[in-house]
């Protein structure tokens, strides 16, 4: 039965892992859509891994509008370890399931076309899989940028003031984790729970890891693993991405309730409180409400958020000059409000066909 055709609930599944050899063969799976700027470098960082075991790469090609598929075909022609599979549905979880089904090795490494692995990534990750008897191992995502805006967005990713302090955005200590960035999986664990859910268009990693955990599989955070991530390069694209992410987080809240960490509720609460503040400010300025009353207290969320953004901008490192600080502030506001607005949309209406078109 194809992966994703029947996503198993935790009651149906149990992760039972066989003993892993010292140098198990590894399959890298990568969904690709409009990634011509990053794809070749991403594939080369995989081929350059200092891991001595056998390797293969399966690229799931969506209907890209740029030269991604031509680049992928050239890479496959140059190296027999690179194979291609079509993903006409374009959605990430569908592409991942197709690539996993096409692959054959006992360790499955999820990679993204806009990410670059350090040379020791696979070696250290497989060692952690074996040592911890884990179902999945993930490390640290460190965002980077080339332009001033992309560098500001990277600072937002790397800061707890931007994404709320998930373990893989900081340094942290090794240990059992809730989820993992990308992930180095035991194939048995993925197959035991039925693969990625094709109906979850964002947050698919967290959802898969939740089912693995509920099936008694261990998710392990290994900060020695490092991945460079190239984020969106404009605030407009960042807003599209975070709106979709917030929407689908709300879908996961509707489905899994308290299994979601409290931090995922914060942006929706922020947007709600700011909306009340803005309405209160308008009514005060119009004279509908009196300043000589308790009504000005409605402005506290707006004032508090402005103070919080100022505090964050002053604390976040790697900024040079006023322009960088302004871009950092704009990035944080875009992240928070887009995510929170999407979250409220998802709570009210579900996910629908809200997808991230920012790389289109």
């Amino acid at each position: 039965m194809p992966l994703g055709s029947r996503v198993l609930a935790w009651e149906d599944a149990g992760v039972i892992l066989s003993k892993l050899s010292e140098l198990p063969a590894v399959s890298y799976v990568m969904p690709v859509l409009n990634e011509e700027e990053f794809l070749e470098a991403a594939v080369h960082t995989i081929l350059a891994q200092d891991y001595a075991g056998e390797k293969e790469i399966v690229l799931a090609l969506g209907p890209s509008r740029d030269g991604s598929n031509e680049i992928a075909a050239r890479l496959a022609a140059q190296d027999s370890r690179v194979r291609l599979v079509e993903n006409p549905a374009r959605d990430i979880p569908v592409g991942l399931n197709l690539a996993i089904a096409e692959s054959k090795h006992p360790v499955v490494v999820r990679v993204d076309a806009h990410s670059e692995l350090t040379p020791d990534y696979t070696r250290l990750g497989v060692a952690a899989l074996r040592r911890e008897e884990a179902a999945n191992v993930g490390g640290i995502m460190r965002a980077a940028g080339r332009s001033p805006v992309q560098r500001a967005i990277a600072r937002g990713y790397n800061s707890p003031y931007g994404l709320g302090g998930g373990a893989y955005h900081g340094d942290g200590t090794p240990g059992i984790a809730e989820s993992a960035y990308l992930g180095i999986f035991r194939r048995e664990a993925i197959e035991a729970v039925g693969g990625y859910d094709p109906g979850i268009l964002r947050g698919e990693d967290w959802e898969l890891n939740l089912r693995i955990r509920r099936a008694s599989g261990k998710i392990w955070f290994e900060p020695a693993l490092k991945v460079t991530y190239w984020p969106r390069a404009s605030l407009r694209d960042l807003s599209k991405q975070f709106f979709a992410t917030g929407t689908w987080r709300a879908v996961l809240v509707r489905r899994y309730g308290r299994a979601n960490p409290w931090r995922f509720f914060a942006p929706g609460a922020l947007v709600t409180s700011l909306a009340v503040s803005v309405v209160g400010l308008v009514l005060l300025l119009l004279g509908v409400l009196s300043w000589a009353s308790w009504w000005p207290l409605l402005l506290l969320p707006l004032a508090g958020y402005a103070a919080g953004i100022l505090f964050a901008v002053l604390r976040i490192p790697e900024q040079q000059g006023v322009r960088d600080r302004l871009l950092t502030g704009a990035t944080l506001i875009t992240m928070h409000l887009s995510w929170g607005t999407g979250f409220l949309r998802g709570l009210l209406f579900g996910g629908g066909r809200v997808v991230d078109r920012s790389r289109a």
Side-chain angles (χ1 to χ4, degrees):
M1 182 178 293
L3 286 177
S5 59
R6 178 171 178 249
V7 174
L8 302 181
W10 69 273
E11 296 94 340
D12 303 320
V15 174
I16 301 174
L17 302 178
S18 60
K19 184 175 177 60
L20 197 62
S21 65
E22 185 174 352
L23 286 175
V26 173
S27 298
Y28 301 86
V29 295
M30 178 193 294
V32 177
L33 182 70
N34 299 317
E35 297 284 4
E36 67 177 1
E37 184 179 354
F38 304 101
L39 176 58
E40 190 160 4
V43 170
H44 284 161
T45 66
I46 297 171
L47 296 174
Q49 291 291 290
D50 64 10
Y51 182 68
E54 184 181 352
K55 297 183 282 287
E56 67 172 353
I57 307 172
V58 182
L59 307 179
L61 304 181
S64 294
R65 297 180 180 179
D66 61 10
S68 296
N69 291 2
E70 290 75 15
I71 293 171
R74 174 167 52 81
L75 292 169
Q78 292 171 350
D79 196 311
S80 61
R81 293 173 295 178
V82 181
R83 305 210 314 277
L84 311 178
V85 62
E86 295 295 324
N87 176 27
R90 75 176 279 150
D91 297 329
I92 289 174
V94 174
L96 287 169
N97 285 339
L98 289 169
I100 293 167
E102 181 69 17
S103 69
K104 58 187 178 183
H105 296 323
V107 174
V108 176
V109 180
R110 177 185 170 170
V111 284
D112 282 343
H114 44 277
S115 298
E116 297 176 12
L117 312 179
T118 56
D120 58 3
Y121 182 85
T122 306
R123 175 170 52 82
L124 296 177
V126 170
L129 271 182
R130 298 181 70 247
R131 182 184 70 244
E132 303 299 334
E133 298 182 344
N136 185 19
V137 171
I140 292 175
M141 180 267 275
R142 186 60 64 189
R146 298 187 177 103
S147 69
V149 174
Q150 192 179 39
R151 286 195 294 271
I153 293 172
R155 290 193 292 271
Y157 267 95
N158 294 334
S159 169
Y161 302 115
L163 289 185
Y168 57 79
H169 296 295
D171 294 328
T173 56
I176 293 175
E178 165 196 326
S179 188
Y181 175 58
L182 300 181
I184 300 175
F185 293 87
R186 295 292 302 272
R187 178 181 295 274
E188 294 159 314
I190 296 176
E191 292 178 346
V193 297
Y196 289 90
D197 187 337
I200 301 295
L201 302 186
R202 297 287 294 180
E204 70 283 346
D205 294 313
W206 183 90
E207 196 274 341
L208 173 62
N209 282 297
L210 174 65
R211 283 186 281 118
I212 290 174
R213 286 190 287 116
R214 287 182 164 182
S216 301
K218 180 193 294 185
I219 312 300
W220 185 259
F221 173 60
E222 186 65 36
L225 305 182
K226 303 290 196 304
V227 182
T228 298
Y229 171 78
W230 298 98
R232 305 314 189 256
S234 75
L235 294 178
R236 179 182 178 185
D237 287 344
L238 180 70
S239 178
K240 292 178 183 178
Q241 178 193 15
F242 271 61
F243 181 84
T245 301
T247 298
W248 285 97
R249 173 52 59 181
V251 172
L252 294 173
V253 166
R254 286 166 57 134
R255 178 181 296 188
Y256 293 111
R258 294 182 180 178
N260 293 266
W262 68 267
R263 68 180 183 273
F264 292 129
F265 295 83
L270 171 67
V271 168
T272 300
S273 64
L274 291 180
V276 171
S277 257
V278 169
V279 170
L281 177 61
V282 170
L283 294 178
L284 285 164
L285 292 174
L286 292 176
V288 176
L289 301 178
S290 172
W291 290 94
S293 66
W294 65 270
W295 289 111
L297 293 176
L298 291 175
L299 304 184
L300 287 177
L302 194 59
Y305 183 62
I309 291 295
L310 178 60
F311 177 80
V313 167
L314 293 175
R315 291 292 301 271
I316 291 175
E318 300 177 0
Q319 300 180 95
Q320 297 178 358
V322 174
R323 183 189 185 192
D324 269 6
R325 296 188 184 279
L326 290 174
L327 287 173
T328 298
T331 292
L332 296 178
I333 292 169
T334 300
M335 285 179 163
H336 299 159
L337 300 190
S338 300
W339 207 106
T341 303
F343 184 82
L344 296 175
R345 190 265 184 217
L347 279 183
L348 293 173
F349 305 111
R353 286 300 302 174
V354 175
V355 292
D356 174 17
R357 302 294 189 196
S358 60
R359 290 196 187 270

